[in-house]
Amino acid sequence: MKILAIETSCDDTCAAVLENDSVLSNVISSQTDLHAKWGGVVPDIAKRAHESRINAVIAEAILRSQISNFRYQKKLKEEKIEQIISEGMKEIDVIGVTLGPGLAIALGIGVNKAKELAKKYNKKIVAVNHIEGHIWANFLKNKKGKPERELELPALALTVSGGHTKIILMTNPSQTLPLTGQGFNKIDYTVVGETLDDAAGEALDKAAKMLGLGYPGGPIIERLAREGKTNFLELPHPLADKKILDYSFSGLKTSFYYKVKDWPKEKVYQNLNDLAATFQNAVFETLLRKYKLAIEKYRPKMLLASGGVLANLELRKRLRKLAKEVGLPIFMPSHKNLNTDNAAMIGRVACEKAKMGEYVEEIDKLDRDPRLQFN
Ligand code: KG4
Ligand code: ZN
């Protein structure tokens, strides 16, 4: 089964082509440069950028899926883009698209494009939950069918990005295992912990902004933190109660803000490494503390972690250490482009759902769902 996947839930315009669970192409047109000067994603700018880029991104995904090492020689003309899409669509069996959660007007561009293509080329649509996509980024293969990974249930997934921070318990209602790409059984997703305010990536981005650093802040904080001390300031431990599996990052951010707000610029500048390391450490300690509590409570057979913040090597190291401590296997997407937003992960879920016949019944009625929940 060949799948075209589209993802426009935030500030990346993404399209991918998959052959079942293998990624043939995964194109991401990042809008970071457009949003950077505002210090965060501006929904209207994101919408317009998605609108103007979506066709070219889909055409590029189709070309790359056909020609390895494809490189644009020059910008393709509108007619050429249309021709590539209409030729390419002949080979596509299913369109997968992110329905939500995300920014409403951004999601709308991808959903409308999927509807337009489905109607024009008579294809079926699978609507995908963005967070389910992040989880399944762990089960994407390259053209050679690597890596081979199997999902074992119950599993406990941690998704950490700029828009969400959740601990999700995955169970199989019928308990018929193993569950793999070949034989898909329905999975129950239960959100057992989530942030009550800011997402972890958002907290890192805001801290970076306070320090006068660029956007997105996560990678900048990571670089600075490598050379810094983690105990430079004392920061609170949010929601320390062991019964609570939810997160809160806004108190951490506010406390950090009040500690440095009256400092002269030079003092901030001189201590950037320690400030970054201390804040990053506080965010990661919180992340791991609650995740560990959830592991102890739900006793999963495996751990999964994904989302933009998993591009962070320090977080990956700490998660691996935790997995070792609790004696469980852990999967994290190996490639940065599979951690941050991408369409391949959406195609991966679409593949599973298509196998179960979970297609959109009335395409005309399909609408973005910015607050889409599980089930
Ligand atoms: O998954 P993603 O691309 O988009 C959302 O769905 O939000 O995640 C973006 C988030 C941003 O907050 C960004 O700062 C963070 O992921 N991020 C990182 C790193 N790379 C991206 N955070 C920490 N370290 C990184 N290396
Ligand atoms: Zn995301």
Side-chain angles (χ1 to χ4, degrees), residues 299-360:
R299 307 195 161 275
K301 289 196 178 137
M302 72 179 311
L303 307 177
L304 302 168
S306 53
V309 184
L310 262 289
N312 188 297
L313 297 181
E314 174 63 24
L315 179 59
R316 296 172 79 88
K317 197 168 92 189
R318 291 192 194 192
L319 278 166
R320 261 186 235 109
K321 189 163 160 254
L322 172 67
K324 211 167 168 189
E325 242 173 73
V326 296
L328 290 173
I330 183 163
F331 290 159
M332 301 178 254
S334 49
H335 198 281
K336 180 181 171 293
N337 280 354
L338 301 179
N339 281 303
T340 49
D341 287 350
N342 66 85
M345 67 185 196
I346 302 303
R348 182 66 184 84
V349 176
C351 170
E352 298 298 339
K353 290 191 176 251
K355 280 184 200 156
M356 295 198 301
E358 283 190 20
Y359 298 108
V360 171

Side-chain angles (χ1 to χ4, degrees), residues 183-372:
F184 188 73
N185 295 301
K186 191 158 171 48
I187 296 173
D188 277 344
Y189 295 92
T190 312
V191 177
V192 296
E194 65 187 325
T195 183
L196 304 176
D197 39 59
D198 293 348
E202 189 181 0
L204 292 169
D205 292 341
K206 286 180 176 168
K209 198 172 170 183
M210 280 176 214
L211 298 175
L213 306 168
Y215 173 83
I220 305 171
I221 297 256
E222 176 180 25
R223 269 198 307 279
L224 288 166
R226 279 186 207 135
E227 310 289 323
K229 289 195 292 288
T230 54
N231 56 355
F232 186 60
L233 300 172
E234 203 176 320
L235 294 173
H237 296 294
L239 303 178
D241 185 336
K242 288 195 168 171
K243 284 193 227 74
I244 302 173
L245 298 182
D246 289 324
Y247 291 109
S248 165
F249 293 103
S250 102
L252 205 57
K253 173 196 70 188
T254 311
S255 162
F256 188 67
Y257 171 74
Y258 280 108
K259 299 232 155 144
V260 300
K261 85 176 173 49
D262 295 326
W263 287 18
K265 269 195 178 146
E266 306 77 65
K267 187 173 171 192
V268 171
Y269 189 73
Q270 278 159 11
N271 295 290
L272 272 181
N273 297 92
D274 290 343
L275 287 167
T278 300
F279 190 78
Q280 178 180 276
N281 178 60
V283 170
F284 291 175
E285 272 195 352
T286 307
L287 275 174
L288 291 207
R289 196 178 322 117
K290 296 294 180 184
Y291 193 39
K292 189 171 179 195
L293 285 175
I295 296 167
E296 285 162 359
K297 181 165 177 189
Y298 293 103
R299 307 195 161 275
K301 289 196 178 137
M302 72 179 311
L303 307 177
L304 302 168
S306 53
V309 184
L310 262 289
N312 188 297
L313 297 181
E314 174 63 24
L315 179 59
R316 296 172 79 88
K317 197 168 92 189
R318 291 192 194 192
L319 278 166
R320 261 186 235 109
K321 189 163 160 254
L322 172 67
K324 211 167 168 189
E325 242 173 73
V326 296
L328 290 173
I330 183 163
F331 290 159
M332 301 178 254
S334 49
H335 198 281
K336 180 181 171 293
N337 280 354
L338 301 179
N339 281 303
T340 49
D341 287 350
N342 66 85
M345 67 185 196
I346 302 303
R348 182 66 184 84
V349 176
C351 170
E352 298 298 339
K353 290 191 176 251
K355 280 184 200 156
M356 295 198 301
E358 283 190 20
Y359 298 108
V360 171
E361 281 175 16
E362 290 184 78
I363 287 179
D364 279 326
K365 289 196 182 148
L366 184 69
D367 200 4
R368 67 196 182 186
D369 188 348
R371 298 186 172 276
L372 183 65

Side-chain angles (χ1 to χ4, degrees), residues 29-263:
S29 173
S30 164
Q31 301 172 10
T32 303
D33 49 338
L34 300 180
H35 302 284
K37 69 172 170 184
W38 308 103
V41 179
V42 184
D44 200 47
I45 295 178
K47 172 186 177 257
R48 274 183 277 138
H50 285 313
E51 230 159 17
S52 70
R53 296 177 183 192
I54 187 90
N55 282 339
V57 167
I58 291 173
E60 186 172 341
I62 289 171
L63 282 178
R64 279 183 193 269
S65 75
Q66 296 162 341
I67 312 163
S68 299
N69 302 327
F70 166 82
R71 290 268 176 281
Y72 267 130
Q73 300 299 320
K74 53 181 184 252
K75 206 165 172 273
L76 291 176
K77 292 210 176 74
E78 205 52 49
E79 312 88 77
K80 183 79 182 150
I81 287 176
E82 271 185 33
Q83 190 197 338
I84 294 165
I85 294 178
S86 77
E87 282 296 310
M89 286 309 294
K90 288 182 193 156
E91 292 175 19
I92 299 292
D93 301 298
V94 177
I95 301 172
V97 66
T98 306
L99 198 66
L103 293 174
I105 55 176
L107 286 164
I109 304 296
V111 171
N112 286 340
K113 182 53 67 183
K115 288 166 75 170
E116 177 197 314
L117 294 176
K119 284 204 264 185
K120 193 164 172 190
Y121 301 103
N122 194 25
K123 305 290 172 187
K124 290 181 173 169
I125 296 183
V126 177
V128 176
N129 180 315
H130 179 83
I131 302 190
E132 195 174 357
H134 273 301
I135 295 173
W136 281 84
N138 276 303
F139 299 96
L140 283 164
K141 292 177 179 158
N142 64 18
K143 288 181 194 168
K144 292 183 187 144
K146 296 271 164 17
E148 280 187 34
R149 292 174 165 185
E150 287 206 0
L151 175 61
E152 272 199 274
L153 296 177
L156 201 59
L158 177 70
T159 60
V160 196
S161 76
H164 28 81
T165 306
K166 289 185 197 293
I167 304 174
I168 299 161
L169 178 67
M170 299 164 73
T171 48
N172 183 339
S174 62
Q175 295 301 325
T176 47
L177 296 171
L179 185 147
T180 66
Q182 290 95 44
F184 188 73
N185 295 301
K186 191 158 171 48
I187 296 173
D188 277 344
Y189 295 92
T190 312
V191 177
V192 296
E194 65 187 325
T195 183
L196 304 176
D197 39 59
D198 293 348
E202 189 181 0
L204 292 169
D205 292 341
K206 286 180 176 168
K209 198 172 170 183
M210 280 176 214
L211 298 175
L213 306 168
Y215 173 83
I220 305 171
I221 297 256
E222 176 180 25
R223 269 198 307 279
L224 288 166
R226 279 186 207 135
E227 310 289 323
K229 289 195 292 288
T230 54
N231 56 355
F232 186 60
L233 300 172
E234 203 176 320
L235 294 173
H237 296 294
L239 303 178
D241 185 336
K242 288 195 168 171
K243 284 193 227 74
I244 302 173
L245 298 182
D246 289 324
Y247 291 109
S248 165
F249 293 103
S250 102
L252 205 57
K253 173 196 70 188
T254 311
S255 162
F256 188 67
Y257 171 74
Y258 280 108
K259 299 232 155 144
V260 300
K261 85 176 173 49
D262 295 326
W263 287 18

